[in-house]
Amino acid sequence: MSRKSGAKAADPLAAKKAKKAKKKVRTLSRQNLSLAWSTIRGRKGGFAAVLIAVAVGTAVITACGVLLETGIRSGVPAERYHRAAVVVGGNQAMPVDGDADPRFSERVRLPADTVAKVDAVKGVESAVGDVSVRMTVLKKDSVLNGPPVYGHGWSASVLAPFTLRSGTQPRAADDVVLDSDLARRAGVDRGDTVTLVTGSKPASYRVSGVAEPGASFDRQSAVFFTDDHAARLYGTSGRVDAIGVLASKGTDAGDLADRIKKAVPGVVTYTGDDRSDVETLDVGQRRAVVIEAATAFGATMGLLVIIVVSGTLALSVQQRRRELALLRAVGATPKQVLRMIGGEAVLVGGIGAVLGAIPASCSPCCCTPCSRLPARCRPDSRW
């Protein structure tokens, strides 16, 4: 008696599990997909519209995703801060709750006493404050073409690093050191005179030396003055543009950046290719534009695809009311009809998604880091 009662008690549980397993098999079974494929072949025109809408929408969404990933991960190698393990700068964006943080077009400067605070952090070999003064070089009373020219204090030359190829470092207010490429294009050498324009005021300087950078300069040219004269040209006393940090031997750049952020609140630290964001503001600004445009356009396109595909499928079902009624009349249950329609949507949507995603994800730009592109093709190229 106890055996029979136990078997009866176990029977409902076993039947429930078998019923669940049966339902799982039927959801997208081979038989159901075969039936859905047969209906698709019989109504090619209606499902072709869905296929095209899904393929085009998937292609655009995939392209936006690739563009977003490019904006987040891409970068260009630092030039002037090539040797600096960490670059410290101000927050170049305004925090906005629930929206993208807009970036400032002008540089956010740091107080000059921040240099001493950063220098006191464990793992920092030395911290160097850098200022950048935009200027123009005149050659035979005409503006020298090429990348933009920035003036700096000589102490910041270690961040590249620059080594003197000839001559000496600037010692007087009218001394200047040019990088080797700029000296070649300007046609000057040690002991010559060069005319530099800061703002709208030209001034003549004696070339005390020519320096060779540790890494090639493609996006800018460098001119070095004495630190005092660079500060006078800079015009904003008690401020620096950025701080280049040379790490002690064996110190990891990421760990050092975290320690600096904790020790000096209110600053932003950059490592790796992100150092170019503070070196040249255009790089960070354009990356932000790419990220925002890809996110906005991709989300909008996703919404449009959902609306178009759902509307097209609904119209297709509406036009097949008699066919579906006939299926019900011969014994098909509502769940079977819904599974057939779901199978059609899965087949058409899956094929369309593959057809749209493959070409959109095979763009050459997706496979080539920005640092390997020619200078004229990089996101920050200006000439």
Short mmCIF file of all heavy atoms in Angstrom, two decimals, residues 139-204:
data_model
loop_
_atom_site.label_atom_id
_atom_site.label_comp_id
_atom_site.label_asym_id
_atom_site.label_seq_id
_atom_site.Cartn_x
_atom_site.Cartn_y
_atom_site.Cartn_z
N LYS A 139 59.55 82.96 -41.78
CA LYS A 139 60.68 82.65 -42.64
C LYS A 139 60.62 83.58 -43.85
O LYS A 139 59.70 83.49 -44.65
CB LYS A 139 60.64 81.19 -43.09
CG LYS A 139 61.80 80.79 -43.99
CD LYS A 139 61.69 79.33 -44.40
CE LYS A 139 62.86 78.93 -45.29
NZ LYS A 139 62.75 77.52 -45.73
N LYS A 140 61.57 84.50 -43.91
CA LYS A 140 61.60 85.50 -44.98
C LYS A 140 60.28 86.28 -45.04
O LYS A 140 59.64 86.41 -46.09
CB LYS A 140 61.88 84.84 -46.33
CG LYS A 140 63.25 84.17 -46.40
CD LYS A 140 63.48 83.52 -47.76
CE LYS A 140 64.85 82.86 -47.82
NZ LYS A 140 65.08 82.19 -49.13
N ASP A 141 59.85 86.76 -43.85
CA ASP A 141 58.66 87.59 -43.70
C ASP A 141 57.36 86.88 -44.09
O ASP A 141 56.33 87.52 -44.36
CB ASP A 141 58.78 88.88 -44.54
CG ASP A 141 59.94 89.75 -44.08
OD1 ASP A 141 60.23 89.71 -42.86
OD2 ASP A 141 60.54 90.43 -44.92
N SER A 142 57.36 85.54 -44.14
CA SER A 142 56.13 84.78 -44.40
C SER A 142 56.01 83.68 -43.35
O SER A 142 57.02 83.21 -42.80
CB SER A 142 56.13 84.19 -45.80
OG SER A 142 57.21 83.28 -45.96
N VAL A 143 54.78 83.27 -43.10
CA VAL A 143 54.54 82.26 -42.06
C VAL A 143 55.02 80.90 -42.55
O VAL A 143 54.74 80.48 -43.67
CB VAL A 143 53.04 82.20 -41.71
CG1 VAL A 143 52.77 81.09 -40.71
CG2 VAL A 143 52.57 83.54 -41.17
N LEU A 144 55.77 80.22 -41.68
CA LEU A 144 56.29 78.89 -42.01
C LEU A 144 55.16 77.88 -41.94
O LEU A 144 54.45 77.77 -40.92
CB LEU A 144 57.40 78.51 -41.04
CG LEU A 144 58.08 77.16 -41.28
CD1 LEU A 144 58.86 77.17 -42.59
CD2 LEU A 144 59.01 76.82 -40.11
N ASN A 145 54.94 77.14 -43.01
CA ASN A 145 53.89 76.12 -43.05
C ASN A 145 54.32 74.89 -42.26
O ASN A 145 55.50 74.63 -42.06
CB ASN A 145 53.58 75.72 -44.49
CG ASN A 145 52.95 76.85 -45.28
OD1 ASN A 145 52.18 77.63 -44.73
ND2 ASN A 145 53.27 76.94 -46.57
N GLY A 146 53.33 74.09 -41.86
CA GLY A 146 53.61 72.87 -41.13
C GLY A 146 52.73 72.73 -39.92
O GLY A 146 51.76 73.46 -39.74
N PRO A 147 53.04 71.79 -39.06
CA PRO A 147 52.25 71.58 -37.85
C PRO A 147 52.37 72.77 -36.91
O PRO A 147 53.29 73.59 -37.03
CB PRO A 147 52.86 70.32 -37.23
CG PRO A 147 54.24 70.25 -37.79
CD PRO A 147 54.17 70.83 -39.16
N PRO A 148 51.43 72.91 -35.97
CA PRO A 148 51.48 74.05 -35.04
C PRO A 148 52.73 74.03 -34.18
O PRO A 148 53.27 72.96 -33.86
CB PRO A 148 50.21 73.87 -34.19
CG PRO A 148 49.85 72.43 -34.33
CD PRO A 148 50.28 72.03 -35.70
N VAL A 149 53.18 75.22 -33.82
CA VAL A 149 54.40 75.38 -33.02
C VAL A 149 54.01 75.83 -31.61
O VAL A 149 53.22 76.76 -31.45
CB VAL A 149 55.35 76.42 -33.67
CG1 VAL A 149 56.62 76.57 -32.84
CG2 VAL A 149 55.69 76.01 -35.10
N TYR A 150 54.57 75.17 -30.60
CA TYR A 150 54.31 75.50 -29.21
C TYR A 150 55.63 75.78 -28.49
O TYR A 150 56.61 75.05 -28.67
CB TYR A 150 53.58 74.36 -28.50
CG TYR A 150 52.19 74.10 -29.03
CD1 TYR A 150 51.97 73.11 -30.00
CD2 TYR A 150 51.09 74.85 -28.60
CE1 TYR A 150 50.70 72.88 -30.50
CE2 TYR A 150 49.83 74.62 -29.10
CZ TYR A 150 49.63 73.63 -30.04
OH TYR A 150 48.38 73.40 -30.54
N GLY A 151 55.61 76.82 -27.67
CA GLY A 151 56.78 77.16 -26.87
C GLY A 151 56.65 76.62 -25.46
O GLY A 151 55.57 76.62 -24.88
N HIS A 152 57.77 76.15 -24.89
CA HIS A 152 57.79 75.56 -23.55
C HIS A 152 59.02 76.02 -22.80
O HIS A 152 59.97 76.55 -23.40
CB HIS A 152 57.80 74.02 -23.63
CG HIS A 152 56.83 73.44 -24.59
ND1 HIS A 152 55.52 73.19 -24.25
CD2 HIS A 152 56.97 73.06 -25.88
CE1 HIS A 152 54.89 72.68 -25.30
NE2 HIS A 152 55.74 72.60 -26.30
N GLY A 153 59.00 75.80 -21.50
CA GLY A 153 60.20 76.01 -20.70
C GLY A 153 61.16 74.85 -20.89
O GLY A 153 60.75 73.72 -21.14
N TRP A 154 62.47 75.14 -20.80
CA TRP A 154 63.47 74.11 -21.05
C TRP A 154 63.36 72.94 -20.08
O TRP A 154 63.68 71.80 -20.43
CB TRP A 154 64.87 74.71 -21.01
CG TRP A 154 65.95 73.70 -21.19
CD1 TRP A 154 66.84 73.25 -20.26
CD2 TRP A 154 66.24 72.97 -22.40
NE1 TRP A 154 67.66 72.31 -20.79
CE2 TRP A 154 67.32 72.11 -22.12
CE3 TRP A 154 65.70 72.97 -23.67
CZ2 TRP A 154 67.86 71.25 -23.05
CZ3 TRP A 154 66.24 72.12 -24.63
CH2 TRP A 154 67.30 71.27 -24.32
N SER A 155 62.88 73.17 -18.87
CA SER A 155 62.78 72.07 -17.90
C SER A 155 61.83 70.98 -18.39
O SER A 155 61.96 69.81 -17.99
CB SER A 155 62.32 72.60 -16.54
OG SER A 155 61.03 73.20 -16.66
N ALA A 156 60.87 71.32 -19.25
CA ALA A 156 59.91 70.33 -19.75
C ALA A 156 60.49 69.48 -20.88
O ALA A 156 59.82 68.55 -21.35
CB ALA A 156 58.63 71.02 -20.23
N SER A 157 61.71 69.77 -21.31
CA SER A 157 62.29 69.01 -22.42
C SER A 157 62.57 67.56 -22.02
O SER A 157 62.68 66.69 -22.90
CB SER A 157 63.58 69.67 -22.89
OG SER A 157 64.57 69.66 -21.86
N VAL A 158 62.67 67.28 -20.71
CA VAL A 158 62.96 65.90 -20.28
C VAL A 158 61.76 64.99 -20.48
O VAL A 158 61.90 63.76 -20.41
CB VAL A 158 63.38 65.88 -18.78
CG1 VAL A 158 64.65 66.66 -18.57
CG2 VAL A 158 62.26 66.41 -17.90
N LEU A 159 60.59 65.54 -20.72
CA LEU A 159 59.38 64.72 -20.83
C LEU A 159 59.30 64.02 -22.17
O LEU A 159 58.52 63.07 -22.33
CB LEU A 159 58.13 65.58 -20.62
CG LEU A 159 58.04 66.30 -19.27
CD1 LEU A 159 56.80 67.17 -19.20
CD2 LEU A 159 58.03 65.26 -18.14
N ALA A 160 60.07 64.45 -23.17
CA ALA A 160 59.99 63.81 -24.50
C ALA A 160 60.83 62.53 -24.60
O ALA A 160 60.30 61.52 -25.05
CB ALA A 160 60.32 64.82 -25.60
N PRO A 161 62.10 62.50 -24.29
CA PRO A 161 62.98 63.60 -23.90
C PRO A 161 63.67 64.20 -25.13
O PRO A 161 63.82 63.55 -26.15
CB PRO A 161 64.00 62.89 -23.02
CG PRO A 161 64.11 61.52 -23.61
CD PRO A 161 62.76 61.18 -24.18
N PHE A 162 64.10 65.47 -24.97
CA PHE A 162 64.90 66.13 -25.99
C PHE A 162 66.37 66.10 -25.58
O PHE A 162 66.70 66.31 -24.41
CB PHE A 162 64.46 67.58 -26.16
CG PHE A 162 63.24 67.76 -27.02
CD1 PHE A 162 61.97 67.69 -26.47
CD2 PHE A 162 63.35 67.99 -28.39
CE1 PHE A 162 60.85 67.86 -27.26
CE2 PHE A 162 62.24 68.15 -29.18
CZ PHE A 162 60.98 68.09 -28.63
N THR A 163 67.22 65.83 -26.54
CA THR A 163 68.66 65.89 -26.30
C THR A 163 69.27 66.88 -27.29
O THR A 163 68.89 66.91 -28.47
CB THR A 163 69.32 64.51 -26.50
OG1 THR A 163 68.99 64.00 -27.78
CG2 THR A 163 68.83 63.54 -25.43
N LEU A 164 70.19 67.69 -26.82
CA LEU A 164 70.82 68.71 -27.66
C LEU A 164 71.68 68.05 -28.73
O LEU A 164 72.59 67.27 -28.42
CB LEU A 164 71.65 69.65 -26.81
CG LEU A 164 70.87 70.68 -25.98
CD1 LEU A 164 71.79 71.38 -25.00
CD2 LEU A 164 70.19 71.69 -26.90
N ARG A 165 71.36 68.33 -29.97
CA ARG A 165 72.18 67.83 -31.07
C ARG A 165 73.37 68.76 -31.31
O ARG A 165 74.45 68.32 -31.70
CB ARG A 165 71.34 67.74 -32.34
CG ARG A 165 72.02 67.02 -33.48
CD ARG A 165 71.12 67.00 -34.70
NE ARG A 165 70.97 68.36 -35.26
CZ ARG A 165 70.20 68.65 -36.30
NH1 ARG A 165 69.48 67.70 -36.87
NH2 ARG A 165 70.14 69.89 -36.76
N SER A 166 73.15 70.04 -31.05
CA SER A 166 74.24 71.03 -31.16
C SER A 166 73.87 72.22 -30.29
O SER A 166 72.71 72.48 -30.02
CB SER A 166 74.42 71.49 -32.62
OG SER A 166 73.25 72.14 -33.10
N GLY A 167 74.89 72.97 -29.83
CA GLY A 167 74.65 74.16 -29.04
C GLY A 167 74.40 73.87 -27.58
O GLY A 167 74.73 72.80 -27.06
N THR A 168 73.78 74.83 -26.92
CA THR A 168 73.52 74.74 -25.48
C THR A 168 72.05 75.05 -25.21
O THR A 168 71.33 75.55 -26.07
CB THR A 168 74.39 75.74 -24.71
OG1 THR A 168 74.08 77.08 -25.15
CG2 THR A 168 75.88 75.46 -24.94
N GLN A 169 71.64 74.77 -23.99
CA GLN A 169 70.27 75.10 -23.59
C GLN A 169 70.12 76.61 -23.47
O GLN A 169 71.11 77.34 -23.35
CB GLN A 169 69.96 74.45 -22.24
CG GLN A 169 70.75 75.04 -21.08
CD GLN A 169 70.46 74.32 -19.78
OE1 GLN A 169 70.62 73.10 -19.68
NE2 GLN A 169 70.01 75.06 -18.79
N PRO A 170 68.88 77.14 -23.55
CA PRO A 170 68.69 78.59 -23.45
C PRO A 170 69.09 79.10 -22.06
O PRO A 170 68.68 78.54 -21.05
CB PRO A 170 67.20 78.77 -23.71
CG PRO A 170 66.58 77.45 -23.43
CD PRO A 170 67.61 76.43 -23.76
N ARG A 171 69.90 80.18 -22.04
CA ARG A 171 70.34 80.74 -20.76
C ARG A 171 69.87 82.18 -20.57
O ARG A 171 69.79 82.66 -19.45
CB ARG A 171 71.87 80.70 -20.67
CG ARG A 171 72.44 79.29 -20.85
CD ARG A 171 73.95 79.28 -20.68
NE ARG A 171 74.53 77.97 -20.99
CZ ARG A 171 74.56 76.96 -20.13
NH1 ARG A 171 74.04 77.10 -18.92
NH2 ARG A 171 75.09 75.79 -20.49
N ALA A 172 69.55 82.87 -21.66
CA ALA A 172 69.08 84.25 -21.58
C ALA A 172 67.67 84.34 -22.15
O ALA A 172 67.18 83.40 -22.80
CB ALA A 172 70.03 85.18 -22.36
N ALA A 173 67.02 85.49 -21.92
CA ALA A 173 65.64 85.66 -22.36
C ALA A 173 65.51 85.62 -23.88
O ALA A 173 64.44 85.28 -24.40
CB ALA A 173 65.08 86.97 -21.83
N ASP A 174 66.58 85.98 -24.59
CA ASP A 174 66.50 85.99 -26.06
C ASP A 174 67.11 84.73 -26.68
O ASP A 174 67.35 84.68 -27.88
CB ASP A 174 67.18 87.23 -26.62
CG ASP A 174 68.66 87.30 -26.25
OD1 ASP A 174 69.09 86.53 -25.34
OD2 ASP A 174 69.38 88.11 -26.84
N ASP A 175 67.36 83.70 -25.86
CA ASP A 175 67.85 82.42 -26.37
C ASP A 175 66.68 81.48 -26.63
O ASP A 175 65.66 81.52 -25.92
CB ASP A 175 68.81 81.76 -25.37
CG ASP A 175 70.18 82.43 -25.35
OD1 ASP A 175 70.44 83.24 -26.27
OD2 ASP A 175 70.95 82.14 -24.43
N VAL A 176 66.84 80.62 -27.61
CA VAL A 176 65.79 79.67 -27.93
C VAL A 176 66.43 78.41 -28.49
O VAL A 176 67.48 78.45 -29.13
CB VAL A 176 64.78 80.28 -28.94
CG1 VAL A 176 65.43 80.48 -30.30
CG2 VAL A 176 63.55 79.42 -29.07
N VAL A 177 65.80 77.26 -28.20
CA VAL A 177 66.21 75.97 -28.75
C VAL A 177 65.06 75.45 -29.60
O VAL A 177 63.91 75.39 -29.14
CB VAL A 177 66.56 74.96 -27.64
CG1 VAL A 177 66.78 73.57 -28.23
CG2 VAL A 177 67.80 75.40 -26.89
N LEU A 178 65.35 75.07 -30.84
CA LEU A 178 64.33 74.54 -31.75
C LEU A 178 64.50 73.03 -31.88
O LEU A 178 65.61 72.51 -31.78
CB LEU A 178 64.46 75.19 -33.13
CG LEU A 178 64.46 76.71 -33.23
CD1 LEU A 178 64.55 77.13 -34.69
CD2 LEU A 178 63.21 77.30 -32.59
N ASP A 179 63.38 72.35 -32.12
CA ASP A 179 63.53 70.93 -32.44
C ASP A 179 64.12 70.79 -33.83
O ASP A 179 64.03 71.70 -34.66
CB ASP A 179 62.20 70.18 -32.29
CG ASP A 179 61.20 70.47 -33.39
OD1 ASP A 179 61.49 70.17 -34.55
OD2 ASP A 179 60.10 70.97 -33.08
N SER A 180 64.73 69.66 -34.09
CA SER A 180 65.53 69.49 -35.31
C SER A 180 64.70 69.65 -36.59
O SER A 180 65.16 70.26 -37.56
CB SER A 180 66.22 68.12 -35.31
OG SER A 180 65.26 67.09 -35.15
N ASP A 181 63.47 69.15 -36.59
CA ASP A 181 62.65 69.26 -37.80
C ASP A 181 62.26 70.71 -38.06
O ASP A 181 62.28 71.17 -39.20
CB ASP A 181 61.40 68.39 -37.65
CG ASP A 181 60.49 68.48 -38.85
OD1 ASP A 181 60.87 67.98 -39.92
OD2 ASP A 181 59.38 69.07 -38.73
N LEU A 182 61.91 71.44 -36.99
CA LEU A 182 61.54 72.85 -37.16
C LEU A 182 62.74 73.66 -37.63
O LEU A 182 62.60 74.55 -38.50
CB LEU A 182 61.00 73.41 -35.83
CG LEU A 182 60.58 74.87 -35.82
CD1 LEU A 182 59.48 75.12 -36.83
CD2 LEU A 182 60.15 75.29 -34.43
N ALA A 183 63.92 73.41 -37.06
CA ALA A 183 65.13 74.12 -37.49
C ALA A 183 65.43 73.86 -38.96
O ALA A 183 65.81 74.77 -39.71
CB ALA A 183 66.31 73.71 -36.62
N ARG A 184 65.23 72.62 -39.40
CA ARG A 184 65.48 72.29 -40.81
C ARG A 184 64.50 73.02 -41.72
O ARG A 184 64.89 73.59 -42.74
CB ARG A 184 65.37 70.78 -41.00
CG ARG A 184 65.56 70.31 -42.44
CD ARG A 184 65.28 68.82 -42.57
NE ARG A 184 63.95 68.48 -42.13
CZ ARG A 184 62.85 68.66 -42.87
NH1 ARG A 184 62.94 69.19 -44.09
NH2 ARG A 184 61.67 68.30 -42.42
N ARG A 185 63.21 73.02 -41.36
CA ARG A 185 62.23 73.68 -42.21
C ARG A 185 62.38 75.20 -42.21
O ARG A 185 62.10 75.86 -43.21
CB ARG A 185 60.82 73.30 -41.76
CG ARG A 185 60.48 71.84 -42.05
CD ARG A 185 59.01 71.50 -41.78
NE ARG A 185 58.71 71.47 -40.37
CZ ARG A 185 57.96 72.38 -39.74
NH1 ARG A 185 57.46 73.41 -40.42
NH2 ARG A 185 57.73 72.29 -38.45
N ALA A 186 62.82 75.75 -41.06
CA ALA A 186 63.02 77.20 -40.99
C ALA A 186 64.34 77.63 -41.60
O ALA A 186 64.57 78.83 -41.83
CB ALA A 186 62.95 77.65 -39.53
N GLY A 187 65.23 76.67 -41.87
CA GLY A 187 66.51 76.99 -42.48
C GLY A 187 67.47 77.69 -41.54
O GLY A 187 68.24 78.55 -41.97
N VAL A 188 67.43 77.35 -40.23
CA VAL A 188 68.31 78.00 -39.25
C VAL A 188 69.10 76.93 -38.52
O VAL A 188 68.74 75.75 -38.50
CB VAL A 188 67.51 78.84 -38.25
CG1 VAL A 188 66.81 79.99 -38.95
CG2 VAL A 188 66.50 77.99 -37.49
N ASP A 189 70.19 77.36 -37.91
CA ASP A 189 71.03 76.47 -37.13
C ASP A 189 71.57 77.25 -35.94
O ASP A 189 71.26 78.43 -35.75
CB ASP A 189 72.17 75.91 -37.99
CG ASP A 189 72.69 74.58 -37.46
OD1 ASP A 189 72.40 74.27 -36.27
OD2 ASP A 189 73.36 73.86 -38.22
N ARG A 190 72.41 76.60 -35.17
CA ARG A 190 72.98 77.23 -33.99
C ARG A 190 73.67 78.55 -34.35
O ARG A 190 74.42 78.64 -35.31
CB ARG A 190 73.99 76.28 -33.35
CG ARG A 190 74.74 76.87 -32.18
CD ARG A 190 75.88 75.97 -31.78
NE ARG A 190 76.70 76.56 -30.75
CZ ARG A 190 77.84 76.08 -30.30
NH1 ARG A 190 78.31 74.95 -30.80
NH2 ARG A 190 78.52 76.69 -29.35
N GLY A 191 73.33 79.61 -33.55
CA GLY A 191 73.91 80.92 -33.76
C GLY A 191 73.11 81.81 -34.69
O GLY A 191 73.35 83.03 -34.75
N ASP A 192 72.14 81.25 -35.44
CA ASP A 192 71.31 82.07 -36.33
C ASP A 192 70.22 82.79 -35.53
O ASP A 192 70.00 82.53 -34.34
CB ASP A 192 70.67 81.20 -37.42
CG ASP A 192 71.71 80.61 -38.36
OD1 ASP A 192 72.81 81.19 -38.44
OD2 ASP A 192 71.41 79.58 -38.99
N THR A 193 69.53 83.68 -36.22
CA THR A 193 68.42 84.42 -35.62
C THR A 193 67.10 83.95 -36.24
O THR A 193 67.02 83.77 -37.46
CB THR A 193 68.59 85.93 -35.83
OG1 THR A 193 69.82 86.35 -35.23
CG2 THR A 193 67.43 86.70 -35.21
N VAL A 194 66.11 83.75 -35.40
CA VAL A 194 64.79 83.32 -35.87
C VAL A 194 63.75 84.28 -35.31
O VAL A 194 63.88 84.78 -34.18
CB VAL A 194 64.50 81.87 -35.43
CG1 VAL A 194 64.44 81.74 -33.93
CG2 VAL A 194 63.21 81.36 -36.06
N THR A 195 62.71 84.55 -36.10
CA THR A 195 61.64 85.44 -35.68
C THR A 195 60.42 84.61 -35.29
O THR A 195 59.91 83.82 -36.10
CB THR A 195 61.25 86.41 -36.81
OG1 THR A 195 62.41 87.16 -37.19
CG2 THR A 195 60.16 87.36 -36.35
N LEU A 196 59.97 84.79 -34.04
CA LEU A 196 58.80 84.08 -33.53
C LEU A 196 57.72 85.09 -33.20
O LEU A 196 58.00 86.17 -32.66
CB LEU A 196 59.16 83.28 -32.27
CG LEU A 196 60.30 82.27 -32.41
CD1 LEU A 196 60.59 81.62 -31.06
CD2 LEU A 196 59.95 81.21 -33.44
N VAL A 197 56.48 84.75 -33.52
CA VAL A 197 55.34 85.63 -33.27
C VAL A 197 54.47 84.99 -32.20
O VAL A 197 53.95 83.88 -32.38
CB VAL A 197 54.51 85.86 -34.55
CG1 VAL A 197 53.35 86.80 -34.25
CG2 VAL A 197 55.39 86.42 -35.65
N THR A 198 54.32 85.69 -31.07
CA THR A 198 53.45 85.24 -30.00
C THR A 198 52.27 86.20 -29.94
O THR A 198 52.45 87.39 -29.69
CB THR A 198 54.18 85.23 -28.65
OG1 THR A 198 55.37 84.45 -28.77
CG2 THR A 198 53.29 84.64 -27.56
N GLY A 199 51.07 85.68 -30.16
CA GLY A 199 49.92 86.56 -30.29
C GLY A 199 50.04 87.31 -31.61
O GLY A 199 49.96 86.74 -32.68
N SER A 200 50.26 88.62 -31.53
CA SER A 200 50.49 89.42 -32.74
C SER A 200 51.80 90.19 -32.66
O SER A 200 52.03 91.10 -33.44
CB SER A 200 49.33 90.41 -32.94
OG SER A 200 49.20 91.27 -31.82
N LYS A 201 52.65 89.79 -31.71
CA LYS A 201 53.90 90.52 -31.47
C LYS A 201 55.09 89.69 -31.92
O LYS A 201 55.41 88.66 -31.31
CB LYS A 201 54.02 90.86 -29.99
CG LYS A 201 55.24 91.69 -29.67
CD LYS A 201 55.28 92.02 -28.18
CE LYS A 201 56.52 92.84 -27.83
NZ LYS A 201 56.59 93.12 -26.38
N PRO A 202 55.79 90.09 -32.99
CA PRO A 202 57.00 89.36 -33.41
C PRO A 202 58.20 89.74 -32.55
O PRO A 202 58.30 90.88 -32.06
CB PRO A 202 57.18 89.80 -34.86
CG PRO A 202 56.57 91.16 -34.93
CD PRO A 202 55.44 91.18 -33.93
N ALA A 203 59.10 88.79 -32.38
CA ALA A 203 60.33 89.04 -31.63
C ALA A 203 61.43 88.16 -32.21
O ALA A 203 61.18 87.06 -32.69
CB ALA A 203 60.14 88.74 -30.15
N SER A 204 62.66 88.67 -32.16
CA SER A 204 63.81 87.95 -32.71
C SER A 204 64.54 87.25 -31.58
O SER A 204 64.74 87.82 -30.49
CB SER A 204 64.76 88.90 -33.43
OG SER A 204 64.11 89.47 -34.56
#
